[in-house]
Each structure stands twice: as structure tokens, then as C-alpha cells.
């Protein structure tokens, strides 16, 4: 059975507004973020999902519930956002003051995850999902979803550095003529 993955980023939070790296900090959606999540309902209601998975963090789980798929959802720990370690809560400009050449995708993160560790986590998740097959919705976070795309289409988590995902966006990974493809990005 083939696999199609719908990647849905959570709605807006206070830290997505400020640009702070929000890895494992479990913060809620803003009122606008809840509206964004509700708007997903009409975009997803005509799609039949064989399975729905969500990060255990409340911003992703609440987005899933407001989008109308909460009853079908299962918690998937591997959908947690990157562990930003010492950079948690900081903005990129703040980090660049201390580390001018810093990039999440290429630097080791003190007390956090490296790209290699995320690659291993995401690869294992994709192996499990493709073994199950079907059309699967994944509610999660910006960097981990970008990582999933990178591993899906090029087996390299670092490709995610060249992608952008807005809050409450939908991207679709699919297979076309035997090749893994990015069918939709940031819709």
C-alpha cells in the first residue's frame, strides 16, 4: 500500500509571533492560532485519513482537535519539535550575536539535538509510517516537519533549511512514478 503524508503545522503561538525557538516548551495557541486551526477544518474535512498522529505538545494537539481530527488522533512522540537545548526561547538574531555562523541545521546544540539525531528520529518515524501505508495526517511543528520533508525527498534532514512553513499550513508528501515527491508545500 502506498503512503501519502499530510503535514500540518500548528497554529500561531506567542513565540511564533516573536520568532523565539519553541522546541519542547509547551505553550498554547494564541486566539489567532485557534482561529487558524479552526480554518483547517474546512480544508481537511473532505480528505479521508487512515490515521492521524499528533505531537504531544499542546499547540499541535489543540490544532488537531480544532481542525476536527482530535477523536481519530494518536500521540506520536517522534513528532516533537527539535530539542533546541540552550537556544530554547531565543530568537535567531540573539543566537547569531553569540554564534555568527550558527545554523540549527549544521551546528551541534548544547543540551539539545543535532541534525544527525533528528535524521535518525525522523527516518525511524517514516519507516514505521510507510510500513503501515495509507493516507496519514501529521500535526506537528515547523522544524520537525521541514526535517520530514528533507528526509522524504532527499534522505537529508538538512534540506529543511531551505524550506519555510507558515503556521496552520498544509504540505503533502506522496509517491509519483516510484519516487518520493513533495506534492504540496505550505498551502
Amino acid at each position: 500500500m502506498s503512503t501519502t503524508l499530510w503535514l500540518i503545522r500548528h497554529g500561531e503561538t506567542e513565540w511564533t509571533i516573536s520568532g523565539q525557538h519553541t522546541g519542547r516548551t509547551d505553550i498554547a495557541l494564541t486566539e489567532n492560532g485557534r482561529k487558524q486551526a479552526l480554518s483547517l477544518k474546512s480544508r481537511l474535512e473532505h480528505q479521508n485519513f487512515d490515521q492521524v498522529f499528533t505531537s504531544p505538545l499542546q499547540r499541535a494537539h489543540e490544532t488537531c482537535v480544532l481542525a476536527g481530527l482530535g477523536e481519530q488522533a494518536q500521540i506520536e512522540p517522534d513528532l516533537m519539535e527539535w530539542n533546541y537545548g540552550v537556544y530554547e526561547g531565543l530568537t535567531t538574531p540573539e543566537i547569531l550575536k553569540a554564534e555568527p555562523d550558527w545554523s540549527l541545521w549544521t551546528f551541534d546544540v548544547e543540551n539539545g539535538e543535532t541534525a544527525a539525531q533528528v535524521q535518525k528520529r525522523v527516518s525511524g518515524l517514516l519507516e514505521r509510517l510507510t510500513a503501515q501505508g495509507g493516507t496519514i495526517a501529521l500535526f506537528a511543528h515547523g522544524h520537525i516537519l521541514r526535517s520530514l520533508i528533507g528526509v522524504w525527498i532527499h534522505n537529508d534532514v538538512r534540506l529543511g533549511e531551505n524550506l519555510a512553513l507558515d503556521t496552520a499550513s498544509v504540505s503533502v508528501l506522496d509517491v509519483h512514478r516510484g519516487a518520493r515527491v513533495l506534492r504540496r508545500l505550505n498551502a
Side-chain angles (χ1 to χ4, degrees):
M1 176 186 284
S2 67
T3 304
T4 302
L5 302 176
W6 287 59
L7 311 181
I8 301 117
R9 185 174 176 207
H10 63 76
E12 176 190 270
T13 68
E14 291 296 335
W15 283 16
T16 57
I17 295 169
S18 65
Q20 292 170 266
H21 284 80
T22 319
R24 304 299 170 89
T25 302
D26 199 11
I27 63 176
L29 298 174
T30 62
E31 186 57 38
N32 185 54
R34 285 189 274 292
K35 289 177 186 173
Q36 290 176 328
L38 281 169
S39 77
L40 288 166
K41 192 171 190 172
S42 64
R43 293 162 53 196
L44 300 174
E45 67 186 353
H46 300 294
Q47 178 60 50
N48 183 36
F49 293 105
D50 297 303
Q51 295 186 81
V52 177
F53 294 101
T54 181
S55 161
L57 297 173
Q58 68 176 316
R59 59 193 183 270
H61 187 263
E62 185 178 7
T63 298
C64 179
V65 169
L66 292 170
L69 296 171
E71 288 184 21
Q72 192 179 351
Q74 300 172 57
I75 300 296
E76 174 50 66
D78 283 339
L79 288 174
M80 292 272 285
E81 182 60 292
W82 282 55
N83 181 345
Y84 298 127
V86 298
Y87 300 125
E88 182 77 11
L90 298 178
T91 65
T92 299
E94 290 171 331
I95 298 167
L96 291 174
K97 284 181 185 175
E99 297 281 347
D101 297 324
W102 179 81
S103 167
L104 175 67
W105 306 95
T106 57
F107 271 59
D108 289 345
V109 176
E110 184 182 338
N111 298 324
E113 285 181 293
T114 65
Q117 290 167 322
V118 173
Q119 172 98 20
K120 182 177 180 183
R121 176 162 57 106
V122 167
S123 294
L125 175 61
L126 287 174
E127 283 179 28
R128 290 194 324 271
L129 294 175
T130 56
Q132 296 170 15
T135 301
I136 303 169
L138 305 175
F139 287 81
H141 317 278
H143 280 114
I144 201 66
L145 292 176
R146 291 162 61 187
S147 300
L148 276 162
I149 294 168
V151 173
W152 181 264
I153 63 175
H154 197 56
N155 197 31
D156 190 347
V157 71
R158 294 171 300 166
L159 179 64
E161 183 174 25
N162 303 106
L163 304 171
L165 297 179
D166 297 328
T167 53
S169 64
V170 177
S171 300
V172 179
L173 304 177
D174 204 354
V175 176
H176 180 71
R177 297 181 181 166
R180 289 181 170 188
V181 298
L182 176 58
R183 184 158 307 277
R184 183 180 307 157
L185 178 66
N186 202 39

